[in-house]
Amino acid sequence: MSEHTNHTTNIVKENGKVGAQADEIKNSNITINDYAEYSPEEKYEAAEKLLQEGVPRKARDLIDDAISKGHDGARVRFHRVLAILSKRSYRDLTAEDREQMRLSTKSPHEHTDDSWSGALDAIRELFEHFENPEIGTRHTDKKLRDLPSQQHEKIMRHLDLFITSELKDVLWTETSDEARESRFSGDRSNRVWAYFQPDPLDARVRHPVEDPLLPHDRRWAIVTSCTGTAAVGYLGWLVLTHATVLSVLAYLAMLAFGYVASRNGFEWHYRTSRLRLKEGDFFRSTSVTGSDPDGFANQVDRSFSHYFHKYCPENTNREKWLAETAGIRATLRDEIVELYRESRTGVGRVNWLIRYLTSDVKQRWQAGTLLRHRERYRVATSTKVRFSLALAALVPTTLIVLVTTVTTSVLPAVLAALVAVASTRDAVKRWLRVAVERRRFEEDQRESDRLHQERHEAYLRWKRKLETTCPSETEMEYWLHCDKVIMLDDALRHYRLAWRDIITHAFLQTPTSDAKRKRRGGPLRFSKYDVRLFLITRDGVRETNTTLDFEQGSFGRAQRGNFRFDAISSTDIIPSSGLGYTLKITLINGPTREVNVKEPDQEASTTNPNDTSERLSEIDLDAAGFTHTRHVLEGIAAEGKGWIERDPVTSDVGFTSSTDE
């Protein structure tokens, strides 16, 4: 049997890093909703949620659609502006974006005079400052500070790249302090793990299969039983025709002893065969192995080995525990491989069941009931005694009957005896097979139903735990935002820079090679990131690179470097296979640095035609900070320090001003 596996493989050159690659995408807003049936109000609500989850492009499209259908207002315009500016600096805006900003923020008094209008007015003044630097930001600073916390927090979070210079110096202490206080909010350390858990597959069990030859055996058993009964009946008639007390008693005793021997012999045979079968489940040395070391069968094998090591009972010798459970471990392993061995099934989706089975074995081992089948199928001494005595008595009584009938009528008696022996022997053999198989099937069916019920209950418990533990997209995005704020604050402190010294900054976050990955509604997220921070100042570029363990909320040791603008020999953006890019930074006196940013696997992409692979790739690249970082580094590589003095967007051509519908 061939194996199927859905593990992902990365091929990375020296000094390279993998940016994004998907094992699995769960049903989510992005992957299954095209919002075609949504009302304008529902589209706006979905857009606001997507914005908080870190998907500004999709949010902007939905808000534009809602506005075009008449759903408008200060709150709607405020979030539209956030969607335009989120994860972008002023230099990232196209001429069309700037025109849309002017249209969205002008005439704020047309909207209700509430906190949303005030927030929109503050963004308008901030935007006007970038349009005309001679306009100061003193009043804007006061407006931002006076905003209610909801609007203030959203502006500081989404306009992180947009707000710079002295204004950000004033607000930064508050922003960084809040990030340090909130990065572990919502019990982050005990919940993030659930986000990256694969969607569990439901409980499955082996269903007993009835022997297909059973009907055939039953038919022949009836035929031979009728023949044997007729032959034995004829012998009885011969006994009665020349009746003596001894012969009649012998005949009746033969029938009685035959019944007792058959009944107890069946019980002995059934229990012995079942015990032998069950012992095979607990005492075996080998299991099915796969040729592919990364195949599903070997993944299951490693998972069972891991959990049996992990769940070793307390105060128990580990080697003894593993030796005594080796057989049942192999049996359970083969069962899981058989039940779940299918295309695109990873072991992560059945690890919950492997843990449950391991825990069940541990509990039975501790309670001394792991081998309870031995007691269940032990043959009682009384059964053995009754069978032996009945068989011993059956032989002489049968001989008496045969002698009596032969002396009466030799040829008919001999023929009847031969037919009786042959037919009875075949009938007993076939009825024994039928009875054993029927009892085995009924017993296995009850056992299968019981196991399925227990496993399904364990599955529901695991599902409930994931549902109650798993953080929302909004929480995940906020925690990542806090982590980046702290990393940025540490870099500013290390380099002793104030925001007035920073022209712009850029984050580029890519997964580490051992990172878990998951998409649950927003961009593809990872359990571990390799985060690069570029601080662009008038004197050059400061770079900080560190590892972020997102599950634990901890940073690795930071690697820092800096280089002048004229030290960058080239910055190349090379399209890789599919929809990804490779960022190559070459310094005059240094090696070429490569960061590979890859799109999700095609197999993991959505089936919704409105969310194509290109769309998902854009979302993931934006989330990684690739779009903004590319824009900054390409500008520096092309123009050097001159890039600082020039606004690269004012030269956009071919744009025609438009108005909102």
Side-chain angles (χ1 to χ4, degrees):
M1 181 181 295
S2 62
E3 290 191 35
H4 303 279
T5 177
N6 71 326
H7 70 282
T8 53
T9 302
N10 296 321
I11 301 176
V12 186
K13 297 180 180 179
E14 186 178 359
N15 297 323
K17 296 185 180 296
V18 175
Q21 183 170 324
D23 289 334
E24 174 186 0
I25 298 179
K26 184 178 179 180
N27 291 344
S28 66
N29 289 338
I30 290 178
T31 58
I32 63 172
N33 283 337
D34 58 11
Y35 305 99
E37 303 299 324
Y38 280 33
S39 67
E41 292 78 9
E42 290 173 331
K43 287 182 179 180
Y44 167 72
E45 291 173 359
E48 190 172 327
K49 185 173 184 292
L50 285 170
L51 186 60
Q52 288 299 98
E53 294 172 355
V55 192
R57 290 199 189 200
K58 186 77 172 179
R60 180 179 176 180
D61 292 343
L62 290 178
I63 293 175
D64 287 345
D65 195 7
I67 292 176
S68 69
K69 291 180 172 58
H71 185 66
D72 202 352
R75 179 168 182 165
V76 176
R77 295 294 176 121
F78 171 78
H79 285 96
R80 183 175 190 267
V81 168
L82 293 188
I84 294 174
L85 300 180
S86 184
K87 301 184 180 181
R88 305 172 79 187
S89 70
Y90 180 76
R91 292 172 176 269
D92 293 329
L93 300 179
T94 65
E96 182 178 2
D97 291 330
R98 297 183 183 192
E99 181 64 18
Q100 290 299 316
M101 280 292 300
R102 298 184 191 102
L103 294 172
S104 295
T105 58
K106 74 176 183 178
S107 303
H109 301 295
E110 295 177 2
H111 307 292
T112 305
D113 186 18
D114 56 13
S115 58
W116 299 108
S117 295
L120 191 61
D121 193 29
I123 296 177
R124 177 183 60 80
E125 291 185 8
L126 180 62
F127 181 73
E128 289 175 350
H129 166 70
F130 280 97
E131 294 278 89
N132 183 5
E134 294 182 0
I135 300 177
T137 60
R138 184 179 59 181
H139 296 296
T140 306
D141 170 28
K142 185 177 185 306
K143 280 190 176 182
L144 287 174
R145 284 180 170 276
D146 292 342
L147 286 175
S149 59
Q150 182 182 15
Q151 288 79 12
H152 178 78
E153 187 275 331
K154 288 188 175 185
I155 289 176
M156 295 307 299
R157 177 175 167 185
H158 291 286
L159 273 61
D160 174 57
L161 294 173
F162 195 80
I163 301 176
T164 57
S165 192
E166 293 85 352
L167 177 59
K168 196 157 188 174
D169 271 331
V170 175
L171 302 171
W172 182 247
T173 300
E174 177 185 343
T175 300
S176 60
D177 288 346
E178 180 183 353
R180 293 184 188 277
E181 293 175 2
S182 304
R183 65 185 304 224
F184 291 106
S185 61
D187 198 20
R188 168 184 176 175
S189 300
N190 295 319
R191 294 178 60 209
V192 171
W193 65 268
Y195 184 93
F196 297 103
Q197 286 294 310
D199 300 328
L201 292 173
D202 203 347
R204 300 177 188 175
V205 294
R206 282 174 173 160
H207 295 288
V209 179
E210 199 167 11
D211 191 335
L213 296 177
L214 200 61
H216 175 268
D217 285 336
R218 185 181 290 110
R219 287 193 296 269
W220 275 105
I222 293 173
V223 172
T224 54
S225 294
C226 292
T227 304
T229 300
V232 172
Y234 178 72
L235 292 175
W237 181 78
L238 291 177
V239 170
L240 291 176
T241 55
H242 299 81
T244 64
V245 175
L246 179 61
S247 62
V248 172
L249 291 177
Y251 181 78
L252 295 176
M254 180 188 71
L255 296 179
F257 290 139
Y259 170 77
V260 173
S262 299
R263 183 178 181 86
N264 286 274
F266 163 75
E267 189 67 21
W268 192 344
H269 172 76
Y270 177 77
R271 288 177 176 270
T272 301
S273 61
R274 291 292 286 176
L275 180 62
R276 187 184 308 114
L277 183 64
K278 291 294 183 181
E279 286 287 286
D281 290 341
F282 287 85
F283 299 96
R284 49 183 296 190
S285 57
T286 60
S287 59
V288 180
T289 57
S291 58
D292 184 357
D294 293 322
F296 180 67
N298 284 311
Q299 290 180 36
V300 172
D301 190 59
R302 289 192 293 269
S303 186
F304 266 107
S305 178
H306 167 73
Y307 286 115
F308 267 84
H309 275 80
K310 181 178 180 179
Y311 293 141
C312 177
E314 295 181 1
N315 303 320
T316 301
N317 181 274
R318 188 180 302 276
E319 297 301 323
K320 178 183 178 182
W321 154 254
L322 294 176
E324 293 187 3
T325 58
I328 188 61
R329 185 167 70 246
T331 298
L332 293 173
R333 178 263 191 203
D334 290 348
E335 180 184 4
I336 297 301
V337 171
E338 176 188 331
L339 292 174
Y340 293 95
R341 190 178 198 165
E342 58 191 37
S343 177
R344 295 189 58 76
T345 296
V347 70
R349 303 188 69 186
V350 295
N351 270 336
W352 71 269
L353 180 55
I354 295 175
R355 283 193 300 270
Y356 166 74
L357 294 175
T358 304
S359 178
D360 179 63
V361 170
K362 175 184 175 181
Q363 291 175 8
R364 288 192 287 153
W365 191 85
Q366 290 177 312
T369 59
L370 186 61
L371 301 178
R372 60 185 175 186
H373 62 277
R374 290 181 173 178
E375 180 63 27
R376 180 179 182 180
Y377 294 112
R378 182 181 62 85
V379 182
T381 302
S382 58
T383 300
K384 296 179 180 179
V385 170
R386 283 194 295 268
F387 173 77
S388 300
L389 292 177
L391 187 63
L394 180 62
V395 174
T397 55
T398 302
L399 289 176
I400 293 174
V401 171
L402 290 177
V403 170
T404 301
T405 55
V406 168
T407 57
T408 302
S409 181
V410 178
L411 184 59
V414 171
L415 291 176
L418 292 175
V419 171
V421 171
S423 298
T424 302
R425 179 178 178 276
D426 187 74
V428 168
K429 180 180 178 181
R430 292 183 183 276
W431 279 122
L432 182 63
R433 176 180 171 82
V434 169
V436 167
E437 178 62 18
R438 183 176 61 184
R439 183 171 172 182
R440 190 274 316 166
F441 179 80
E442 293 175 351
E443 189 175 285
D444 284 351
Q445 186 63 59
R446 289 193 297 271
E447 181 73 4
S448 176
D449 293 342
R450 181 185 66 82
L451 290 177
H452 185 268
Q453 179 65 25
E454 292 175 353
R455 293 181 184 183
H456 184 65
E457 290 175 355
Y459 165 77
L460 293 179
R461 288 194 298 271
W462 179 244
K463 285 277 288 184
R464 285 194 295 269
K465 183 174 183 178
L466 290 181
E467 290 170 358
T468 56
T469 305
C470 184
S472 66
E473 279 295 315
T474 300
E475 289 177 303
M476 293 289 286
E477 183 68 17
Y478 180 67
W479 290 331
L480 182 59
H481 165 74
C482 290
D483 290 337
K484 292 194 292 186
V485 167
I486 291 171
M487 180 179 174
L488 180 54
D489 187 55
D490 290 343
L492 292 173
R493 293 173 185 269
H494 175 80
Y495 290 117
R496 298 182 180 180
L497 294 172
W499 276 107
R500 67 179 66 90
D501 303 317
I502 305 298
I503 298 170
T504 188
H505 69 283
F507 277 102
L508 185 61
Q509 60 211 41
T510 56
T512 61
S513 58
D514 60 340
K516 291 175 284 188
R517 56 203 74 206
K518 188 76 172 183
R519 187 194 300 279
R520 288 186 181 271
L524 196 62
R525 300 190 186 278
F526 305 92
S527 61
K528 292 183 180 180
Y529 290 95
D530 183 74
V531 186
R532 293 173 182 267
L533 168 62
F534 299 94
L535 296 175
I536 314 301
T537 70
R538 290 189 173 273
D539 297 324
V541 179
R542 268 75 166 180
E543 179 185 4
T544 299
N545 183 22
T546 189
T547 299
L548 168 62
D549 186 334
F550 188 74
E551 287 187 287
Q552 301 300 321
S554 60
F555 290 101
R557 186 174 181 179
Q559 299 178 354
R560 306 184 191 275
N562 57 81
F563 45 88
R564 302 185 311 275
F565 291 116
D566 56 6
I568 301 180
S569 173
S570 65
T571 299
D572 299 321
I573 309 298
I574 303 174
S576 59
S577 60
L579 304 172
Y581 296 92
T582 297
L583 173 63
K584 300 178 68 174
I585 305 173
T586 304
L587 302 181
I588 294 177
N589 296 318
T592 298
R593 309 179 191 182
E594 290 190 8
V595 180
N596 295 329
V597 183
K598 293 189 176 181
E599 78 287 351
D601 287 348
Q602 293 297 325
E603 293 181 358
S605 63
T606 176
T607 57
N608 175 17
N610 293 308
D611 275 327
T612 61
S613 297
E614 291 84 357
R615 188 64 170 171
L616 290 176
S617 181
E618 289 178 357
I619 291 171
D620 293 336
L621 292 174
D622 281 349
F626 180 74
T627 304
H628 175 64
T629 303
R630 177 183 64 178
H631 181 254
V632 171
L633 295 180
E634 282 182 331
I636 293 174
E639 303 179 58
K641 196 169 184 178
W643 175 81
I644 300 175
E645 309 299 336
R646 190 180 71 82
D647 180 357
V649 185
T650 55
S651 59
D652 285 355
V653 294
F655 169 71
T656 303
S657 178
S658 62
T659 59
D660 288 352
E661 296 181 6

